[in-house]
């Protein structure tokens, strides 16, 4: 009986984590370049059950039960990981020359006080020092790691990332791809941080100036998933309540005749 309560409790914890991921997706449904997260839930190993006091016999080197097995029992679930869905979001035309969208699996390099970071949110701006920066004020980098000094000059960015200022080529937008996307972790403010050992290569993603990539979150799908998580959570909660009442009956009523 106690095992059943732990099993139900593990289901509640797993669904709570799933619910948190869905809630974060809904909160970022309008965030530029946001990639939805999904909770990966797996079951604990099942347990083979026998009747109480069963014994084993050995005949001709083959060991078997005197009585058949009862069956298997599940032992709950747990969240294995929270993984992003990196599918391409739809593109929105803005005609703003500092807005940049990527078509492909690349990320734009930016410089932060915590080190180099990567982003899909191309809603850039020009700060007071004339640098092309993110909404948080972090400088956008070229492929060589240099900051992009725009100033009052006209900015043009080609499909290959080539940067022109008043028609003069000054470098290439720093767009890279990780060898393994699991080596990037979300850090907030639409930035992704590399884990130690992450390696990057030049990306063949198409750069589209004057556009932004929308979030790939579908609000309707997320709401349906949230209701499913809530119903599963409540089912596990009711199972715990039922088992608690059974234990209480066992102690208060059956126990009196022991």
């Amino acid at each position: 009986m106690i095992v059943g309560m732990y099993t139900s409790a593990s289901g509640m914890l797993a669904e709570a984590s799933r619910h948190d991921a869905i809630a974060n997706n809904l909160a970022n449904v309008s965030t530029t370049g946001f990639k939805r997260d999904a909770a990966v839930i797996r079951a604990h190993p099942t347990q083979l059950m026998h009747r109480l006091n069963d014994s084993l016999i050995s005949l001709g080197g083959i060991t078997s039960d005197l009585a058949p097995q009862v069956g298997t029992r599940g032992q709950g679930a747990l969240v294995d990981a929270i993984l992003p869905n990196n599918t391409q979001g739809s593109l929105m035309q803005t005609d703003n020359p500092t807005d940049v969208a990527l078509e492909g699996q690349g990320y734009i390099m930016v410089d932060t006080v915590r080190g180099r970071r990567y982003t899909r949110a191309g809603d850039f701006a020009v700060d007071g020092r004339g640098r092309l920066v993110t909404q948080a004020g972090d400088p956008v980098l070229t492929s060589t790691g240099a900051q992009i000094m725009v100033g009052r000059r006209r900015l043009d960015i080609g499909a290959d990332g080539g940067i022109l200022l008043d028609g003069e080529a000054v470098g290439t937008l720093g767009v890279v791809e990780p060898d393994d996307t699991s080596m990037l972790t979300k850090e907030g403010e639409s930035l992704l941080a590399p884990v130690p050992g992450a390696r990057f290569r030049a990306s063949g993603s198409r750069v589209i100036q004057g556009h932004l990539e929308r979030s790939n979150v579908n609000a309707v799908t997320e709401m349906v998933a949230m209701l499913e998580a809530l119903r599963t959570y409540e089912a596990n909660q009711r199972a715990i309540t039922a088992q608690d009442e059974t234990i209480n009956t066992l102690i208060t009523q059956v126990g009196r005749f022991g």
Side-chain angles (χ1 to χ4, degrees):
M1 190 65 69
I2 298 297
V3 173
M5 296 181 73
Y6 283 125
T7 299
S8 298
S10 72
M12 291 176 66
L13 293 173
E15 291 303 326
S17 296
R18 181 184 172 204
H19 183 277
D20 289 344
I22 296 170
N24 185 60
N25 292 340
L26 288 171
N28 288 280
V29 69
S30 299
T31 300
T32 302
F34 180 81
K35 303 300 182 183
R36 67 178 297 272
D37 290 322
V40 179
I41 300 176
R42 68 176 174 88
H44 284 292
T46 56
Q47 185 178 37
L48 186 62
M49 300 177 63
H50 297 263
R51 287 202 297 265
L52 189 64
N53 297 323
D54 270 0
S55 59
L56 301 176
I57 60 172
S58 181
L59 295 174
I62 300 176
T63 302
S64 62
D65 291 315
L66 289 173
Q69 301 164 355
V70 174
T72 58
R73 176 180 63 190
Q75 300 189 85
L78 76 161
V79 176
D80 221 15
I82 303 293
L83 299 178
N85 181 329
N86 292 314
T87 56
Q88 177 80 44
S90 62
L91 301 184
M92 175 180 65
Q93 184 172 352
T94 65
D95 293 325
N96 185 344
T98 58
D99 286 343
V100 175
L102 296 181
E103 197 171 61
Q105 297 301 310
Y107 295 88
I108 300 172
M109 299 189 301
V110 299
D111 190 25
T112 75
V113 295
R114 301 175 299 282
R116 186 167 294 182
R117 296 295 186 265
Y118 305 87
T119 187
R120 294 278 298 190
D123 48 346
F124 302 139
V126 177
D127 68 3
R129 296 165 59 182
R131 305 176 301 175
L132 188 67
V133 297
T134 66
Q135 291 296 308
D138 298 318
V140 180
L141 302 178
T142 66
S143 58
T144 61
Q147 297 182 8
I148 302 172
M149 303 301 297
V150 178
R152 296 182 179 275
R153 292 175 289 181
R154 187 182 77 253
L155 172 66
D156 293 300
I157 303 177
D160 62 350
I163 302 171
L164 300 176
L165 295 177
D166 283 344
E168 178 185 354
V170 297
T172 304
L173 187 66
V175 182
V176 296
E177 290 183 27
D179 289 343
D180 183 356
T181 55
S182 66
M183 301 295 278
L184 289 177
T185 59
K186 291 186 178 182
E187 193 176 67
E189 296 181 341
S190 298
L191 297 177
L192 293 98
V195 303
R199 295 190 297 178
F200 297 84
R201 62 181 183 274
S203 174
S205 296
R206 180 179 174 223
V207 180
I208 308 175
Q209 186 180 20
H211 290 70
L212 291 176
E213 181 186 9
R214 297 178 185 269
S215 163
N216 67 355
V217 175
N218 183 306
V220 175
T221 301
E222 296 299 323
M223 287 299 297
V224 172
M226 179 174 281
L227 288 174
E228 290 176 350
L230 180 60
R231 295 293 180 263
T232 305
Y233 183 94
E234 291 174 340
N236 281 290
Q237 191 176 43
R238 288 193 295 271
I240 290 179
T241 300
Q243 292 172 85
D244 181 63
E245 292 174 350
T246 302
I247 292 174
N248 182 63
T249 300
L250 178 66
I251 294 173
T252 59
Q253 297 185 30
V254 179
R256 291 183 303 173
F257 304 100

